[in-house]
Amino acid sequence: MLAYIVRRLLQLIPVFLGATLLIYFLVFAMPGDPIAALFGDKQPSPQLLAELRAQYHLDQPFLVQYWFYLTGILHGDLGTTFSGQSVNDVLARTLPVTGRLAVMSIAIEFTLSIIIGTISAVRKGKLFDHSALIVGLIFLSVPVFVLGFAAQYFLAIKLGWFRATVGADNDWGGLWLPAIVLGVSLFATSMRLMRGSVIETRNQDWVRTAYSKGLPRRRVLPVHVMRNSLIPVITNSATNFGVLLVGAVVTEAVFNIPGVGNTMYQATLRHEGPTIVSFVTVFVIIYVLVNVLVDLLYGFLDPRIRYVK
Amino acid sequence: MKRTKIALTGLALLAAGTLVLTSCAGGGGTSGDNGNTSGASASAVIKVNGNEPENPLIPTNTNEVGGGKILDSIFAGLAYYDAKGKLVNDMAESITVDDPSTVTIKIKKGEKFTNGQELTADSFIKAWQYGALFSNKQLNSSWFADIEGFDPAKDSQLTGLTKTDDYTFTVKLNAPVAADWAQRLGYSAYYPLPDVAFEDMKSFGEHPIGNGPYKLASDSAWQHDVQIELVKNDGYTGGRQAKNGGLTIVFYTTQDAAYADLQDGNVDVIDAIPPSSFATFESDLGDRAVNQPAAIFQSFTIPGNAAHFTGKEGILRKEAISMAINRDQITKTIFNGTRTPASDFTSPVISGWSDSIPGNEVLKYDATKAKDLWAQADAISKWSGSFQIAYNADGGHKEWVDAVSNSIKNTLGIDASGKSYVDFATLRQDVNDRKIKTAFRTGWQADYPSQYNFLQPLYGTGASSNDSDYSNKDFDALLAQGASASDPAAATADYAKAQSILFQDLPSIPLWYSNVTGGYAEGVKNVTFGWNSVPLYYQITKG
């Protein structure tokens, strides 16, 4: 087990190199001169421009810039934003906010999909099943920023149930509205997977055996059926985690959340290479780690899946 | 091993997706009606919108509005601009123009920074030397370019700054523009710095110590990306006395979020309405809506060497194009009245503005005249190709560029269209490198309230933002005469004559003045927008 984990973690190294190189190249290939843009409509002296470019190594060829970035990382330094802040600080400040948002959204997605998916399976073909499918499809197909603006307008401004934006109030309590928006935008696929899985499991021999032993449904359903049906849902949630990080960029702009998404948005507007690359790389690493975690969860949910060697 | 491959593919998609999606994060929008809440509150701290400063809070290194509005609140310069853009002494006892290239400045005695240090002539001289020094790479260094000794390309002391005594210094300029130069002294680049700043400028930029109407509430008052909390500085004695207990400037990435917060009652005053709500905000907010011209001039520029746009033919074509644009209609339909059609090259909020500069009839829509002028140009050399206006797609310019192109196309019967650049940086690079061959959008927001600032940097020979490389000796001479005239009325007359030269040559085609749009919550009073589109925060009261 330990060897497996170590092996999976070692795989992070090529993933890290590949991802940073790719993103760095994409940023490098972005047209335009970010340093000139710092001056707006004004034109500074060419010497001043050259000095500033040199400060951020922007006058160097692509591989040299990338090399500066890599050696920086090995010293624990992710680079500096154009405003002179260290990217480490910016990450340390914004990542927990987006982390909270992601955890809350996944929790909402997970809860919704398990409960609604199971009830749909039990009431297959009934009104609840059909309504759940339709509602799920609506949330899935509406773009997340439309959902966000609608929720902001109706639930916050009109009804006053939430604050319209998050801002400084970004602890667990303040993030409910964006977390709900992200959660419901994701729950449809997991819910359908859960439903299918529960239907299939309910036809298994051991379930029939459990019932024939005289076990009540309130025991059979959670322990024998739901636990065994969770694997596809968990796998999907892990994949959704990536979608979630991307969705966070949009959601954070709508709700003014000071997280990584917002910072990414600003950094991309300003062509801040180190910031963009570091942030995306962190996204990548988190994504891979979540997938490792999910692989480990399989063994817990289904003892037949083991990683012993 | 297989999962890794899948993971890698996923990562690439994720990465690409993130980059793509960031560009649409500002899209969409809701429009609302009646979303108001009462602003009555016992606390007198005013909550306003802002942006995370792009740079540390160092006056000579901040050239954007997000950091600028904080600096203006926590620092006091020699003078400030009142609501009408008039220069009023702040820390200065007097600012005297001795001759066209010399200014003598006397500072009030007994003024203090919030750390207790007394303000002296050195507080200004040292700060300006720092800001001008090449190796300090300050974004505002060009503000010191007119002072003797300035060098934009290598380290050089400002030899023009001479200390007479602890509270007096003189400024010797390398050009006779003293009258105009004195008008600039309200800008943040000229703010003084306490000695502690020079010990560690980086740390100072995080925890600035000023001398203005407000000061930072605590060491942790600046929560990056979130907000900055300011409280009243009781030691400030100037004319901008805070009538409220403090300011909380909340940082927003999008204007939509700020507007949502205004409707929800989480913010008291905002100085920007998102374009998606232009059509509705005045009915939403009623008399709490603000929509007035700002010191922002919008235009497009045709490169001086573009084919068919040189010589007599070029002038005729530019006039034809200008008269083919229906500015009234476009500002109404595209901008819902949040732009004011231009009638000169400056802005109505700047003193000396006039809507009757000789030659400005080329800004009136006149289809017949436009066709006629175009035909005259065709007689010199037949038109070929298409007319394009380049714009940056990240700035919400597509709609008006399309409308202007259509207006030109329909009137002149030529092929005209917009040309999209992905973003501002890309467009500026092509413009700065003179690689651009089409017309392109240009705009100017005044740095200080003076007509000279709208004219010299944009159309002066060899000037810093002269995108079309325009050069006209008579124009230069009139500007110089205006900048050295000690009588404001004489200066205004010179600038008017200079502008009528511009109307003959049309180095840029004026379009409209941007309005400042904003609004405030119920119970909030005394909201006045300054000449620079930023509310005068110190006057605002509520409750």
Side-chain angles (χ1 to χ4, degrees):
Chain A
M1 189 67 167
L2 190 69
Y4 172 77
I5 297 175
V6 170
R7 210 168 61 234
R8 286 298 301 265
L9 291 181
L10 281 179
Q11 288 170 2
L12 270 177
I13 295 171
V15 168
F16 174 80
L17 287 177
T20 49
L21 191 69
L22 179 74
I23 320 285
Y24 219 103
F25 180 73
L26 286 176
V27 174
F28 185 83
M30 280 165 92
D33 180 354
I35 299 295
L38 285 181
F39 291 86
D41 280 312
K42 287 195 170 183
Q43 280 188 27
S45 75
Q47 293 86 350
L48 185 57
L49 275 181
E51 276 289 302
L52 279 165
R53 277 198 202 102
Q55 182 180 335
Y56 298 100
H57 307 303
L58 293 173
D59 51 348
Q60 306 278 358
F62 166 61
L63 280 175
V64 178
Q65 285 191 34
Y66 181 64
W67 177 249
F68 273 118
Y69 177 72
L70 265 192
T71 46
I73 286 180
L74 294 179
H75 292 98
D77 173 17
L78 294 173
T80 319
T81 67
F82 287 164
S83 61
Q85 295 183 61
S86 95
V87 175
N88 298 35
D89 289 351
V90 180
L91 262 177
R93 190 170 72 225
T94 53
L95 204 55
V97 181
T98 303
R100 280 194 286 272
L101 178 63
V103 168
M104 286 172 77
S105 320
I106 290 273
I108 290 168
E109 179 216 346
F110 213 68
T111 317
L112 281 178
S113 48
I114 290 175
I115 295 174
I116 299 179
T118 308
I119 300 178
S120 283
V122 173
R123 308 211 176 143
K124 192 173 68 159
K126 302 261 174 60
L127 181 66
F128 183 90
D129 187 20
H130 291 307
S131 335
L133 175 64
I134 291 168
V135 171
L137 282 179
I138 289 173
F139 284 139
L140 184 70
S141 52
V142 174
V144 69
F145 69 86
V146 175
L147 216 54
F149 278 127
Q152 188 178 53
Y153 183 67
F154 290 107
L155 302 183
I157 296 174
K158 280 293 183 190
L159 296 170
W161 293 352
F162 302 92
R163 267 179 58 123
T165 67
V166 173
D169 185 24
N170 58 39
D171 53 5
W172 293 101
L175 288 166
W176 273 109
L177 189 57
I180 290 171
V181 167
L182 276 174
V184 302
S185 74
L186 291 175
F187 93 101
T189 37
S190 291
M191 183 265 283
R192 292 302 286 179
L193 283 170
M194 184 71 189
R195 175 184 175 274
S197 195
V198 168
I199 290 172
E200 199 184 312
T201 314
R202 272 175 29 114
N203 291 328
Q204 298 288 336
D205 291 343
W206 80 78
V207 176
R208 225 170 329 168
T209 309
Y211 277 122
S212 59
K213 276 199 299 188
L215 288 178
R217 194 164 90 165
R218 64 169 193 279
R219 168 126 185 105
V220 177
L221 205 59
V223 179
H224 296 262
V225 177
M226 284 168 73
R227 180 177 157 183
N228 282 294
S229 311
L230 276 177
I231 287 182
V233 180
I234 288 186
T235 315
N236 186 56
S237 293
T239 323
N240 269 350
F241 200 78
V243 181
L244 195 76
L245 290 174
V246 176
V249 176
V250 179
T251 319
E252 288 183 2
V254 173
F255 293 101
N256 203 44
I257 303 169
V260 289
N262 243 335
T263 315
M264 272 287 292
Y265 174 63
Q266 304 269 9
T268 312
L269 287 185
R270 287 180 214 152
H271 294 198
E272 281 183 13
T275 319
I276 302 174
V277 178
S278 302
F279 273 67
V280 178
T281 308
V282 169
F283 283 15
V284 164
I285 291 174
I286 293 176
Y287 186 72
V288 174
L289 286 178
V290 167
N291 276 285
V292 173
L293 194 72
V294 165
D295 283 359
L296 298 177
L297 266 180
Y298 289 167
F300 167 75
L301 285 171
D302 188 343
R304 286 172 302 181
I305 307 174
R306 284 265 167 82
Y307 297 102
V308 275
K309 208 173 196 180
Chain B
M1 273 305 174
K2 207 173 162 203
R3 281 191 60 87
T4 320
K5 264 189 210 159
I6 298 170
L8 259 177
T9 322
L11 305 171
L13 285 174
L14 166 69
T18 313
L19 287 174
V20 170
L21 269 174
T22 49
S23 58
C24 59
T30 51
S31 53
D33 52 350
N34 265 340
N36 55 35
T37 31
S38 85
S41 155
S43 162
V45 172
I46 309 291
K47 266 191 153 184
V48 304
N49 73 309
N51 300 94
E52 165 78 9
E54 288 179 20
N55 301 292
L57 291 170
I58 301 165
T60 48
N61 204 36
T62 295
N63 64 351
E64 43 80 44
V65 68
K69 63 170 77 157
I70 301 172
L71 285 175
D72 288 343
S73 300
I74 60 176
F75 280 94
L78 293 166
Y80 66 91
Y81 303 112
D82 69 5
K84 295 213 165 77
K86 188 169 159 283
L87 196 72
V88 181
N89 285 348
D90 203 349
M91 293 293 115
E93 182 78 50
S94 67
I95 301 169
T96 323
V97 177
D98 301 333
D99 64 60
S101 54
T102 317
V103 177
T104 298
I105 294 161
K106 274 192 182 356
I107 301 163
K108 286 182 196 159
K109 286 181 192 167
E111 295 293 339
K112 285 192 171 63
F113 288 101
T114 53
N115 66 351
Q117 190 197 327
E118 200 191 352
L119 217 72
T120 62
D122 277 331
S123 314
F124 288 93
I125 295 175
K126 280 191 198 165
W128 296 4
Q129 293 284 9
Y130 178 87
L133 199 68
F134 175 72
S135 56
N136 288 335
K137 293 177 278 199
Q138 300 290 292
L139 297 180
N140 279 333
S141 60
S142 63
W143 282 86
F144 304 99
D146 285 333
I147 300 176
E148 244 179 38
F150 181 83
D151 192 321
K154 61 176 196 300
D155 277 1
S156 162
Q157 287 290 308
L158 297 177
T159 50
L161 299 179
T162 318
K163 184 169 139 184
T164 317
D165 61 55
D166 272 355
Y167 302 99
T168 316
F169 66 107
T170 59
V171 185
K172 184 91 183 129
L173 303 174
N174 52 28
V177 292
D180 185 75
W181 189 84
Q183 287 296 312
R184 303 173 202 172
L185 289 171
Y187 185 65
S188 54
Y190 297 110
Y191 286 159
L193 288 176
D195 290 341
V196 62
F198 305 102
E199 288 162 22
D200 182 353
M201 198 53 90
K202 192 169 157 40
S203 152
F204 182 81
E206 285 291 309
H207 310 282
I209 292 161
N211 59 329
Y214 296 96
K215 60 182 178 185
L216 269 64
S218 68
D219 239 18
S220 55
W222 184 3
Q223 299 175 53
H224 285 281
D225 300 320
V226 179
Q227 61 186 26
I228 188 164
E229 289 169 82
L230 308 178
V231 291
K232 187 178 180 197
N233 170 20
D234 290 321
Y236 171 76
T237 62
R240 294 185 294 150
Q241 285 298 326
K243 296 197 171 66
N244 45 55
L247 274 186
T248 298
I249 302 177
V250 184
F251 304 146
Y252 292 96
T253 326
T254 65
Q255 296 170 348
D256 288 284
Y259 189 56
D261 256 0
L262 181 72
Q263 290 177 295
D264 199 27
N266 297 324
V267 67
D268 296 315
V269 182
I270 63 172
D271 61 5
I273 299 289
S276 54
S277 301
F278 275 171
T280 53
F281 83 100
E282 287 183 303
S283 56
D284 282 357
L285 299 174
D287 56 5
R288 293 179 287 113
V290 176
N291 182 11
Q292 61 194 49
I296 303 172
F297 168 82
Q298 302 280 4
S299 58
F300 66 85
T301 299
I302 301 170
N305 56 359
H308 292 293
F309 285 101
T310 51
K312 175 78 182 148
E313 181 201 357
I315 305 265
L316 287 167
R317 292 209 190 278
K318 285 183 199 173
E319 282 174 350
I321 283 172
S322 178
M323 296 182 99
I325 303 166
N326 193 337
R327 292 171 180 77
D328 287 323
Q329 194 191 32
I330 293 170
T331 50
K332 270 194 203 85
T333 53
I334 306 283
F335 292 113
N336 294 104
T338 59
R339 301 287 186 277
T340 308
S343 45
D344 78 335
F345 287 85
T346 66
S347 157
V349 295
I350 304 297
S351 134
W353 177 83
S354 155
D355 62 357
S356 50
I357 307 259
N360 75 354
E361 56 276 2
V362 295
L363 303 181
K364 291 273 172 305
Y365 174 64
D366 185 340
T368 329
K369 188 86 186 290
K371 270 185 221 146
D372 182 42
L373 289 165
W374 194 261
Q376 287 179 38
D378 269 348
I380 299 173
S381 163
K382 184 84 181 137
W383 170 256
S384 59
S386 63
F387 183 76
Q388 284 196 307
I389 301 172
Y391 62 95
N392 47 313
D394 62 347
H397 297 294
K398 185 183 189 313
E399 287 76 12
W400 73 255
V401 170
D402 285 347
V404 167
S405 308
N406 269 332
S407 198
I408 294 171
K409 188 167 145 185
N410 296 337
T411 312
L412 300 178
I414 59 168
D415 183 23
S417 61
K419 183 183 177 193
S420 166
Y421 275 71
V422 281
D423 60 9
F424 185 66
T426 322
L427 175 65
R428 282 317 300 180
Q429 186 169 32
D430 265 14
V431 172
N432 290 354
D433 295 348
R434 300 290 186 262
K435 276 190 200 143
I436 198 151
K437 296 289 172 247
T438 64
F440 52 93
R441 67 151 287 267
T442 39
W444 188 257
Q445 173 155 27
D447 300 308
Y448 59 101
S450 157
Q451 293 194 307
Y452 183 80
N453 183 243
F454 277 95
L455 302 174
Q456 202 283 331
L458 296 171
Y459 315 110
T461 301
S464 57
S465 300
N466 188 339
D467 290 332
S468 67
D469 293 323
Y470 177 69
S471 174
N472 183 313
K473 282 201 183 62
D474 297 338
F475 175 79
D476 290 344
L478 281 164
L479 275 192
Q481 200 176 314
S484 60
S486 48
D487 172 21
T492 302
D494 289 331
Y495 296 147
K497 277 186 221 152
Q499 285 196 69
S500 69
I501 295 179
L502 293 184
F503 276 120
Q504 285 162 30
D505 294 343
L506 290 175
S508 80
I509 311 282
L511 292 171
W512 38 73
Y513 317 113
S514 291
N515 286 14
V516 51
T517 54
Y520 45 97
E522 276 173 4
V524 178
K525 291 188 190 73
N526 302 317
V527 181
T528 315
F529 278 66
W531 74 276
N532 60 351
S533 311
V534 177
L536 303 176
Y537 294 130
Y538 58 90
Q539 293 185 348
I540 300 172
T541 56
K542 76 170 180 181

